[in-house]
PDB file of all heavy atoms in Angstrom:
ATOM      1  N   TRP A   1      -7.674  -1.703  -9.326  1.00 89.00           N
ATOM      2  CA  TRP A   1      -7.883  -2.044 -10.728  1.00 89.00           C
ATOM      3  C   TRP A   1      -7.703  -0.854 -11.657  1.00 89.00           C
ATOM      4  O   TRP A   1      -8.063  -0.921 -12.831  1.00 89.00           O
ATOM      5  CB  TRP A   1      -9.296  -2.628 -10.916  1.00 89.00           C
ATOM      6  CG  TRP A   1      -9.547  -3.838 -10.079  1.00 89.00           C
ATOM      7  CD1 TRP A   1     -10.389  -3.954  -9.016  1.00 89.00           C
ATOM      8  CD2 TRP A   1      -8.922  -5.118 -10.225  1.00 89.00           C
ATOM      9  NE1 TRP A   1     -10.340  -5.211  -8.482  1.00 89.00           N
ATOM     10  CE2 TRP A   1      -9.446  -5.957  -9.213  1.00 89.00           C
ATOM     11  CE3 TRP A   1      -7.979  -5.641 -11.114  1.00 89.00           C
ATOM     12  CZ2 TRP A   1      -9.067  -7.277  -9.058  1.00 89.00           C
ATOM     13  CZ3 TRP A   1      -7.577  -6.969 -10.956  1.00 89.00           C
ATOM     14  CH2 TRP A   1      -8.119  -7.768  -9.947  1.00 89.00           C
ATOM     15  N   LYS A   2      -7.164   0.253 -11.157  1.00 90.00           N
ATOM     16  CA  LYS A   2      -7.047   1.469 -11.964  1.00 90.00           C
ATOM     17  C   LYS A   2      -6.213   1.247 -13.225  1.00 90.00           C
ATOM     18  O   LYS A   2      -6.606   1.632 -14.328  1.00 90.00           O
ATOM     19  CB  LYS A   2      -6.445   2.606 -11.134  1.00 90.00           C
ATOM     20  CG  LYS A   2      -6.392   3.931 -11.892  1.00 90.00           C
ATOM     21  CD  LYS A   2      -5.867   5.060 -11.019  1.00 90.00           C
ATOM     22  CE  LYS A   2      -5.841   6.362 -11.807  1.00 90.00           C
ATOM     23  NZ  LYS A   2      -5.326   7.483 -10.994  1.00 90.00           N
ATOM     24  N   LYS A   3      -5.049   0.627 -13.074  1.00 90.00           N
ATOM     25  CA  LYS A   3      -4.166   0.408 -14.224  1.00 90.00           C
ATOM     26  C   LYS A   3      -4.833  -0.506 -15.246  1.00 90.00           C
ATOM     27  O   LYS A   3      -4.808  -0.240 -16.456  1.00 90.00           O
ATOM     28  CB  LYS A   3      -2.849  -0.201 -13.756  1.00 90.00           C
ATOM     29  CG  LYS A   3      -1.802  -0.314 -14.852  1.00 90.00           C
ATOM     30  CD  LYS A   3      -0.484  -0.823 -14.283  1.00 90.00           C
ATOM     31  CE  LYS A   3       0.575  -0.932 -15.375  1.00 90.00           C
ATOM     32  NZ  LYS A   3       1.872  -1.436 -14.829  1.00 90.00           N
ATOM     33  N   PHE A   4      -5.443  -1.582 -14.760  1.00 92.00           N
ATOM     34  CA  PHE A   4      -6.137  -2.523 -15.641  1.00 92.00           C
ATOM     35  C   PHE A   4      -7.278  -1.835 -16.380  1.00 92.00           C
ATOM     36  O   PHE A   4      -7.417  -1.950 -17.601  1.00 92.00           O
ATOM     37  CB  PHE A   4      -6.678  -3.702 -14.830  1.00 92.00           C
ATOM     38  CG  PHE A   4      -7.739  -4.504 -15.526  1.00 92.00           C
ATOM     39  CD1 PHE A   4      -7.400  -5.413 -16.520  1.00 92.00           C
ATOM     40  CD2 PHE A   4      -9.090  -4.345 -15.204  1.00 92.00           C
ATOM     41  CE1 PHE A   4      -8.385  -6.148 -17.176  1.00 92.00           C
ATOM     42  CE2 PHE A   4     -10.075  -5.071 -15.848  1.00 92.00           C
ATOM     43  CZ  PHE A   4      -9.709  -5.977 -16.839  1.00 92.00           C
ATOM     44  N   PHE A   5      -8.091  -1.064 -15.644  1.00 93.00           N
ATOM     45  CA  PHE A   5      -9.258  -0.442 -16.261  1.00 93.00           C
ATOM     46  C   PHE A   5      -8.866   0.683 -17.210  1.00 93.00           C
ATOM     47  O   PHE A   5      -9.531   0.908 -18.219  1.00 93.00           O
ATOM     48  CB  PHE A   5     -10.227   0.067 -15.188  1.00 93.00           C
ATOM     49  CG  PHE A   5     -11.604   0.330 -15.719  1.00 93.00           C
ATOM     50  CD1 PHE A   5     -12.455  -0.719 -16.016  1.00 93.00           C
ATOM     51  CD2 PHE A   5     -12.058   1.625 -15.932  1.00 93.00           C
ATOM     52  CE1 PHE A   5     -13.731  -0.491 -16.521  1.00 93.00           C
ATOM     53  CE2 PHE A   5     -13.319   1.869 -16.430  1.00 93.00           C
ATOM     54  CZ  PHE A   5     -14.155   0.810 -16.719  1.00 93.00           C
ATOM     55  N   THR A   6      -7.785   1.378 -16.888  1.00 92.00           N
ATOM     56  CA  THR A   6      -7.297   2.431 -17.794  1.00 92.00           C
ATOM     57  C   THR A   6      -6.973   1.842 -19.159  1.00 92.00           C
ATOM     58  O   THR A   6      -7.332   2.403 -20.201  1.00 92.00           O
ATOM     59  CB  THR A   6      -6.038   3.096 -17.211  1.00 92.00           C
ATOM     60  OG1 THR A   6      -6.380   3.736 -15.977  1.00 92.00           O
ATOM     61  CG2 THR A   6      -5.481   4.146 -18.164  1.00 92.00           C
ATOM     62  N   TYR A   7      -6.324   0.693 -19.157  1.00 92.00           N
ATOM     63  CA  TYR A   7      -5.995   0.017 -20.422  1.00 92.00           C
ATOM     64  C   TYR A   7      -7.274  -0.395 -21.148  1.00 92.00           C
ATOM     65  O   TYR A   7      -7.379  -0.239 -22.375  1.00 92.00           O
ATOM     66  CB  TYR A   7      -5.125  -1.206 -20.144  1.00 92.00           C
ATOM     67  CG  TYR A   7      -4.798  -1.998 -21.385  1.00 92.00           C
ATOM     68  CD1 TYR A   7      -3.830  -1.551 -22.288  1.00 92.00           C
ATOM     69  CD2 TYR A   7      -5.472  -3.188 -21.670  1.00 92.00           C
ATOM     70  CE1 TYR A   7      -3.537  -2.269 -23.435  1.00 92.00           C
ATOM     71  CE2 TYR A   7      -5.184  -3.908 -22.817  1.00 92.00           C
ATOM     72  CZ  TYR A   7      -4.219  -3.449 -23.697  1.00 92.00           C
ATOM     73  OH  TYR A   7      -3.939  -4.166 -24.831  1.00 92.00           O
ATOM     74  N   GLN A   8      -8.262  -0.918 -20.414  1.00 92.00           N
ATOM     75  CA  GLN A   8      -9.513  -1.345 -21.029  1.00 92.00           C
ATOM     76  C   GLN A   8     -10.267  -0.170 -21.653  1.00 92.00           C
ATOM     77  O   GLN A   8     -10.834  -0.288 -22.740  1.00 92.00           O
ATOM     78  CB  GLN A   8     -10.409  -2.036 -19.985  1.00 92.00           C
ATOM     79  CG  GLN A   8      -9.842  -3.315 -19.414  1.00 92.00           C
ATOM     80  CD  GLN A   8      -9.514  -4.337 -20.471  1.00 92.00           C
ATOM     81  OE1 GLN A   8     -10.315  -4.586 -21.379  1.00 92.00           O
ATOM     82  NE2 GLN A   8      -8.335  -4.940 -20.381  1.00 92.00           N
ATOM     83  N   VAL A   9     -10.258   0.975 -20.982  1.00 92.00           N
ATOM     84  CA  VAL A   9     -10.938   2.162 -21.510  1.00 92.00           C
ATOM     85  C   VAL A   9     -10.269   2.635 -22.792  1.00 92.00           C
ATOM     86  O   VAL A   9     -10.936   2.985 -23.769  1.00 92.00           O
ATOM     87  CB  VAL A   9     -10.959   3.293 -20.459  1.00 92.00           C
ATOM     88  CG1 VAL A   9     -11.447   4.605 -21.087  1.00 92.00           C
ATOM     89  CG2 VAL A   9     -11.874   2.914 -19.299  1.00 92.00           C
ATOM     90  N   LYS A  10      -8.948   2.642 -22.797  1.00 89.00           N
ATOM     91  CA  LYS A  10      -8.234   3.088 -23.996  1.00 89.00           C
ATOM     92  C   LYS A  10      -8.464   2.129 -25.165  1.00 89.00           C
ATOM     93  O   LYS A  10      -8.531   2.559 -26.318  1.00 89.00           O
ATOM     94  CB  LYS A  10      -6.749   3.245 -23.683  1.00 89.00           C
ATOM     95  CG  LYS A  10      -6.496   4.444 -22.778  1.00 89.00           C
ATOM     96  CD  LYS A  10      -5.037   4.675 -22.493  1.00 89.00           C
ATOM     97  CE  LYS A  10      -4.871   5.932 -21.639  1.00 89.00           C
ATOM     98  NZ  LYS A  10      -3.463   6.195 -21.278  1.00 89.00           N
ATOM     99  N   GLN A  11      -8.631   0.849 -24.854  1.00 90.00           N
ATOM    100  CA  GLN A  11      -8.960  -0.121 -25.899  1.00 90.00           C
ATOM    101  C   GLN A  11     -10.392   0.050 -26.396  1.00 90.00           C
ATOM    102  O   GLN A  11     -10.735  -0.363 -27.496  1.00 90.00           O
ATOM    103  CB  GLN A  11      -8.790  -1.552 -25.356  1.00 90.00           C
ATOM    104  CG  GLN A  11      -7.358  -1.952 -25.052  1.00 90.00           C
ATOM    105  CD  GLN A  11      -6.495  -2.010 -26.300  1.00 90.00           C
ATOM    106  OE1 GLN A  11      -5.644  -1.149 -26.519  1.00 90.00           O
ATOM    107  NE2 GLN A  11      -6.700  -3.000 -27.122  1.00 90.00           N
ATOM    108  N   THR A  12     -11.216   0.661 -25.566  1.00 90.00           N
ATOM    109  CA  THR A  12     -12.639   0.833 -25.877  1.00 90.00           C
ATOM    110  C   THR A  12     -12.933   2.201 -26.474  1.00 90.00           C
ATOM    111  O   THR A  12     -14.071   2.496 -26.857  1.00 90.00           O
ATOM    112  CB  THR A  12     -13.472   0.647 -24.582  1.00 90.00           C
ATOM    113  OG1 THR A  12     -13.052  -0.547 -23.932  1.00 90.00           O
ATOM    114  CG2 THR A  12     -14.951   0.530 -24.853  1.00 90.00           C
ATOM    115  N   GLN A  13     -11.951   3.044 -26.579  1.00 87.00           N
ATOM    116  CA  GLN A  13     -12.148   4.431 -27.000  1.00 87.00           C
ATOM    117  C   GLN A  13     -12.898   4.552 -28.320  1.00 87.00           C
ATOM    118  O   GLN A  13     -13.812   5.366 -28.460  1.00 87.00           O
ATOM    119  CB  GLN A  13     -10.795   5.134 -27.109  1.00 87.00           C
ATOM    120  CG  GLN A  13     -10.878   6.596 -27.501  1.00 87.00           C
ATOM    121  CD  GLN A  13      -9.506   7.256 -27.496  1.00 87.00           C
ATOM    122  OE1 GLN A  13      -8.830   7.291 -26.485  1.00 87.00           O
ATOM    123  NE2 GLN A  13      -9.089   7.748 -28.654  1.00 87.00           N
ATOM    124  N   ASP A  14     -12.558   3.719 -29.294  1.00 86.00           N
ATOM    125  CA  ASP A  14     -13.229   3.783 -30.599  1.00 86.00           C
ATOM    126  C   ASP A  14     -14.716   3.455 -30.482  1.00 86.00           C
ATOM    127  O   ASP A  14     -15.560   4.090 -31.120  1.00 86.00           O
ATOM    128  CB  ASP A  14     -12.562   2.834 -31.594  1.00 86.00           C
ATOM    129  CG  ASP A  14     -11.205   3.354 -32.056  1.00 86.00           C
ATOM    130  OD1 ASP A  14     -10.921   4.551 -31.845  1.00 86.00           O
ATOM    131  OD2 ASP A  14     -10.418   2.557 -32.612  1.00 86.00           O
ATOM    132  N   SER A  15     -15.039   2.444 -29.659  1.00 90.00           N
ATOM    133  CA  SER A  15     -16.445   2.079 -29.464  1.00 90.00           C
ATOM    134  C   SER A  15     -17.214   3.212 -28.809  1.00 90.00           C
ATOM    135  O   SER A  15     -18.365   3.502 -29.170  1.00 90.00           O
ATOM    136  CB  SER A  15     -16.548   0.816 -28.595  1.00 90.00           C
ATOM    137  OG  SER A  15     -16.032  -0.304 -29.268  1.00 90.00           O
ATOM    138  N   LEU A  16     -16.581   3.864 -27.849  1.00 89.00           N
ATOM    139  CA  LEU A  16     -17.230   4.991 -27.180  1.00 89.00           C
ATOM    140  C   LEU A  16     -17.533   6.116 -28.160  1.00 89.00           C
ATOM    141  O   LEU A  16     -18.616   6.711 -28.137  1.00 89.00           O
ATOM    142  CB  LEU A  16     -16.332   5.506 -26.048  1.00 89.00           C
ATOM    143  CG  LEU A  16     -16.189   4.583 -24.827  1.00 89.00           C
ATOM    144  CD1 LEU A  16     -15.069   5.079 -23.923  1.00 89.00           C
ATOM    145  CD2 LEU A  16     -17.500   4.500 -24.057  1.00 89.00           C
ATOM    146  N   LEU A  17     -16.590   6.399 -29.047  1.00 86.00           N
ATOM    147  CA  LEU A  17     -16.785   7.462 -30.037  1.00 86.00           C
ATOM    148  C   LEU A  17     -17.866   7.093 -31.054  1.00 86.00           C
ATOM    149  O   LEU A  17     -18.710   7.915 -31.421  1.00 86.00           O
ATOM    150  CB  LEU A  17     -15.466   7.752 -30.753  1.00 86.00           C
ATOM    151  CG  LEU A  17     -14.404   8.493 -29.928  1.00 86.00           C
ATOM    152  CD1 LEU A  17     -13.053   8.453 -30.630  1.00 86.00           C
ATOM    153  CD2 LEU A  17     -14.838   9.936 -29.684  1.00 86.00           C
ATOM    154  N   ILE A  18     -17.835   5.853 -31.519  1.00 88.00           N
ATOM    155  CA  ILE A  18     -18.814   5.400 -32.517  1.00 88.00           C
ATOM    156  C   ILE A  18     -20.232   5.477 -31.981  1.00 88.00           C
ATOM    157  O   ILE A  18     -21.148   5.983 -32.642  1.00 88.00           O
ATOM    158  CB  ILE A  18     -18.499   3.959 -32.970  1.00 88.00           C
ATOM    159  CG1 ILE A  18     -17.220   3.935 -33.812  1.00 88.00           C
ATOM    160  CG2 ILE A  18     -19.669   3.362 -33.756  1.00 88.00           C
ATOM    161  CD1 ILE A  18     -16.686   2.545 -34.075  1.00 88.00           C
ATOM    162  N   HIS A  19     -20.422   4.998 -30.743  1.00 92.00           N
ATOM    163  CA  HIS A  19     -21.788   4.886 -30.220  1.00 92.00           C
ATOM    164  C   HIS A  19     -22.323   6.176 -29.614  1.00 92.00           C
ATOM    165  O   HIS A  19     -23.475   6.210 -29.173  1.00 92.00           O
ATOM    166  CB  HIS A  19     -21.867   3.725 -29.226  1.00 92.00           C
ATOM    167  CG  HIS A  19     -21.677   2.392 -29.885  1.00 92.00           C
ATOM    168  ND1 HIS A  19     -22.605   1.860 -30.754  1.00 92.00           N
ATOM    169  CD2 HIS A  19     -20.641   1.518 -29.849  1.00 92.00           C
ATOM    170  CE1 HIS A  19     -22.165   0.690 -31.203  1.00 92.00           C
ATOM    171  NE2 HIS A  19     -20.979   0.476 -30.676  1.00 92.00           N
ATOM    172  N   LEU A  20     -21.509   7.231 -29.635  1.00 88.00           N
ATOM    173  CA  LEU A  20     -22.068   8.545 -29.335  1.00 88.00           C
ATOM    174  C   LEU A  20     -23.096   8.929 -30.394  1.00 88.00           C
ATOM    175  O   LEU A  20     -23.982   9.753 -30.163  1.00 88.00           O
ATOM    176  CB  LEU A  20     -20.953   9.603 -29.287  1.00 88.00           C
ATOM    177  CG  LEU A  20     -20.066   9.614 -28.041  1.00 88.00           C
ATOM    178  CD1 LEU A  20     -18.891  10.556 -28.240  1.00 88.00           C
ATOM    179  CD2 LEU A  20     -20.863  10.001 -26.800  1.00 88.00           C
ATOM    180  N   GLN A  21     -22.951   8.295 -31.579  1.00 87.00           N
ATOM    181  CA  GLN A  21     -23.887   8.505 -32.692  1.00 87.00           C
ATOM    182  C   GLN A  21     -24.709   7.238 -32.958  1.00 87.00           C
ATOM    183  O   GLN A  21     -25.119   6.980 -34.086  1.00 87.00           O
ATOM    184  CB  GLN A  21     -23.107   8.880 -33.959  1.00 87.00           C
ATOM    185  CG  GLN A  21     -22.212  10.101 -33.811  1.00 87.00           C
ATOM    186  CD  GLN A  21     -23.024  11.364 -33.611  1.00 87.00           C
ATOM    187  OE1 GLN A  21     -24.078  11.527 -34.196  1.00 87.00           O
ATOM    188  NE2 GLN A  21     -22.526  12.260 -32.771  1.00 87.00           N
ATOM    189  N   ASP A  22     -24.942   6.443 -31.924  1.00 92.00           N
ATOM    190  CA  ASP A  22     -25.673   5.185 -32.085  1.00 92.00           C
ATOM    191  C   ASP A  22     -27.059   5.416 -32.685  1.00 92.00           C
ATOM    192  O   ASP A  22     -27.699   6.437 -32.412  1.00 92.00           O
ATOM    193  CB  ASP A  22     -25.802   4.479 -30.730  1.00 92.00           C
ATOM    194  CG  ASP A  22     -26.197   3.017 -30.851  1.00 92.00           C
ATOM    195  OD1 ASP A  22     -27.409   2.747 -31.037  1.00 92.00           O
ATOM    196  OD2 ASP A  22     -25.314   2.155 -30.777  1.00 92.00           O
ATOM    197  N   ARG A  23     -27.504   4.453 -33.493  1.00 93.00           N
ATOM    198  CA  ARG A  23     -28.817   4.570 -34.136  1.00 93.00           C
ATOM    199  C   ARG A  23     -29.953   4.587 -33.111  1.00 93.00           C
ATOM    200  O   ARG A  23     -31.039   5.096 -33.389  1.00 93.00           O
ATOM    201  CB  ARG A  23     -29.021   3.394 -35.109  1.00 93.00           C
ATOM    202  CG  ARG A  23     -29.071   2.027 -34.437  1.00 93.00           C
ATOM    203  CD  ARG A  23     -29.388   0.917 -35.426  1.00 93.00           C
ATOM    204  NE  ARG A  23     -29.474  -0.386 -34.792  1.00 93.00           N
ATOM    205  CZ  ARG A  23     -28.471  -1.222 -34.674  1.00 93.00           C
ATOM    206  NH1 ARG A  23     -27.277  -0.880 -35.155  1.00 93.00           N
ATOM    207  NH2 ARG A  23     -28.615  -2.398 -34.092  1.00 93.00           N
ATOM    208  N   ASN A  24     -29.696   4.013 -31.931  1.00 96.00           N
ATOM    209  CA  ASN A  24     -30.700   4.010 -30.869  1.00 96.00           C
ATOM    210  C   ASN A  24     -30.416   5.172 -29.911  1.00 96.00           C
ATOM    211  O   ASN A  24     -29.356   5.214 -29.295  1.00 96.00           O
ATOM    212  CB  ASN A  24     -30.655   2.678 -30.110  1.00 96.00           C
ATOM    213  CG  ASN A  24     -31.760   2.550 -29.081  1.00 96.00           C
ATOM    214  OD1 ASN A  24     -31.928   3.409 -28.225  1.00 96.00           O
ATOM    215  ND2 ASN A  24     -32.509   1.466 -29.153  1.00 96.00           N
ATOM    216  N   PRO A  25     -31.336   6.125 -29.779  1.00 95.00           N
ATOM    217  CA  PRO A  25     -31.091   7.305 -28.938  1.00 95.00           C
ATOM    218  C   PRO A  25     -30.762   6.970 -27.485  1.00 95.00           C
ATOM    219  O   PRO A  25     -29.952   7.646 -26.850  1.00 95.00           O
ATOM    220  CB  PRO A  25     -32.406   8.089 -29.029  1.00 95.00           C
ATOM    221  CG  PRO A  25     -33.066   7.598 -30.268  1.00 95.00           C
ATOM    222  CD  PRO A  25     -32.659   6.168 -30.422  1.00 95.00           C
ATOM    223  N   GLN A  26     -31.401   5.900 -26.953  1.00 96.00           N
ATOM    224  CA  GLN A  26     -31.143   5.517 -25.568  1.00 96.00           C
ATOM    225  C   GLN A  26     -29.718   5.004 -25.388  1.00 96.00           C
ATOM    226  O   GLN A  26     -29.061   5.272 -24.382  1.00 96.00           O
ATOM    227  CB  GLN A  26     -32.154   4.455 -25.119  1.00 96.00           C
ATOM    228  CG  GLN A  26     -33.580   4.957 -25.007  1.00 96.00           C
ATOM    229  CD  GLN A  26     -33.730   6.095 -24.013  1.00 96.00           C
ATOM    230  OE1 GLN A  26     -33.184   6.038 -22.910  1.00 96.00           O
ATOM    231  NE2 GLN A  26     -34.447   7.139 -24.390  1.00 96.00           N
ATOM    232  N   VAL A  27     -29.250   4.241 -26.385  1.00 95.00           N
ATOM    233  CA  VAL A  27     -27.868   3.729 -26.337  1.00 95.00           C
ATOM    234  C   VAL A  27     -26.887   4.897 -26.433  1.00 95.00           C
ATOM    235  O   VAL A  27     -25.892   4.952 -25.712  1.00 95.00           O
ATOM    236  CB  VAL A  27     -27.607   2.720 -27.473  1.00 95.00           C
ATOM    237  CG1 VAL A  27     -26.144   2.272 -27.477  1.00 95.00           C
ATOM    238  CG2 VAL A  27     -28.526   1.503 -27.317  1.00 95.00           C
ATOM    239  N   ALA A  28     -27.168   5.847 -27.342  1.00 93.00           N
ATOM    240  CA  ALA A  28     -26.299   7.012 -27.501  1.00 93.00           C
ATOM    241  C   ALA A  28     -26.220   7.818 -26.196  1.00 93.00           C
ATOM    242  O   ALA A  28     -25.142   8.277 -25.799  1.00 93.00           O
ATOM    243  CB  ALA A  28     -26.815   7.897 -28.635  1.00 93.00           C
ATOM    244  N   LYS A  29     -27.357   7.955 -25.516  1.00 93.00           N
ATOM    245  CA  LYS A  29     -27.388   8.683 -24.245  1.00 93.00           C
ATOM    246  C   LYS A  29     -26.582   7.947 -23.176  1.00 93.00           C
ATOM    247  O   LYS A  29     -25.826   8.570 -22.411  1.00 93.00           O
ATOM    248  CB  LYS A  29     -28.849   8.848 -23.799  1.00 93.00           C
ATOM    249  CG  LYS A  29     -29.020   9.716 -22.567  1.00 93.00           C
ATOM    250  CD  LYS A  29     -30.495   9.882 -22.236  1.00 93.00           C
ATOM    251  CE  LYS A  29     -30.662  10.739 -20.978  1.00 93.00           C
ATOM    252  NZ  LYS A  29     -32.111  10.904 -20.642  1.00 93.00           N
ATOM    253  N   ALA A  30     -26.747   6.623 -23.119  1.00 95.00           N
ATOM    254  CA  ALA A  30     -25.990   5.828 -22.139  1.00 95.00           C
ATOM    255  C   ALA A  30     -24.498   5.890 -22.427  1.00 95.00           C
ATOM    256  O   ALA A  30     -23.675   5.961 -21.509  1.00 95.00           O
ATOM    257  CB  ALA A  30     -26.471   4.373 -22.165  1.00 95.00           C
ATOM    258  N   CYS A  31     -24.144   5.890 -23.716  1.00 93.00           N
ATOM    259  CA  CYS A  31     -22.743   5.974 -24.123  1.00 93.00           C
ATOM    260  C   CYS A  31     -22.142   7.304 -23.683  1.00 93.00           C
ATOM    261  O   CYS A  31     -21.003   7.352 -23.185  1.00 93.00           O
ATOM    262  CB  CYS A  31     -22.622   5.803 -25.637  1.00 93.00           C
ATOM    263  SG  CYS A  31     -20.937   5.963 -26.247  1.00 93.00           S
ATOM    264  N   LYS A  32     -22.898   8.375 -23.850  1.00 90.00           N
ATOM    265  CA  LYS A  32     -22.406   9.704 -23.469  1.00 90.00           C
ATOM    266  C   LYS A  32     -22.135   9.768 -21.966  1.00 90.00           C
ATOM    267  O   LYS A  32     -21.109  10.313 -21.523  1.00 90.00           O
ATOM    268  CB  LYS A  32     -23.433  10.764 -23.885  1.00 90.00           C
ATOM    269  CG  LYS A  32     -22.944  12.189 -23.695  1.00 90.00           C
ATOM    270  CD  LYS A  32     -23.966  13.164 -24.253  1.00 90.00           C
ATOM    271  CE  LYS A  32     -23.496  14.607 -24.091  1.00 90.00           C
ATOM    272  NZ  LYS A  32     -24.480  15.569 -24.644  1.00 90.00           N
ATOM    273  N   THR A  33     -23.047   9.209 -21.176  1.00 92.00           N
ATOM    274  CA  THR A  33     -22.876   9.181 -19.720  1.00 92.00           C
ATOM    275  C   THR A  33     -21.651   8.363 -19.337  1.00 92.00           C
ATOM    276  O   THR A  33     -20.863   8.756 -18.463  1.00 92.00           O
ATOM    277  CB  THR A  33     -24.132   8.587 -19.051  1.00 92.00           C
ATOM    278  OG1 THR A  33     -25.274   9.373 -19.412  1.00 92.00           O
ATOM    279  CG2 THR A  33     -23.988   8.566 -17.543  1.00 92.00           C
TER     280      THR A  33
END
């Protein structure tokens, strides 16, 4: 599933960047991991 998941991650890149600054500290920490 590497090719499939690579595409999904690239589609999710903006969400990952946004939620690094999530209003909930626990969500931000999980996002960073």
Side-chain angles (χ1 to χ4, degrees):
W1 302 111
K2 184 177 180 180
K3 187 175 180 180
F4 163 77
F5 197 74
T6 297
Y7 177 77
Q8 296 303 314
V9 170
K10 289 183 177 178
Q11 292 295 107
T12 311
Q13 182 176 301
D14 287 345
S15 293
L16 290 169
L17 287 168
I18 290 169
H19 293 292
L20 284 171
Q21 304 293 323
D22 196 280
R23 64 175 182 268
N24 186 306
Q26 292 300 315
V27 176
K29 186 177 179 180
C31 177
K32 187 175 181 179
T33 302

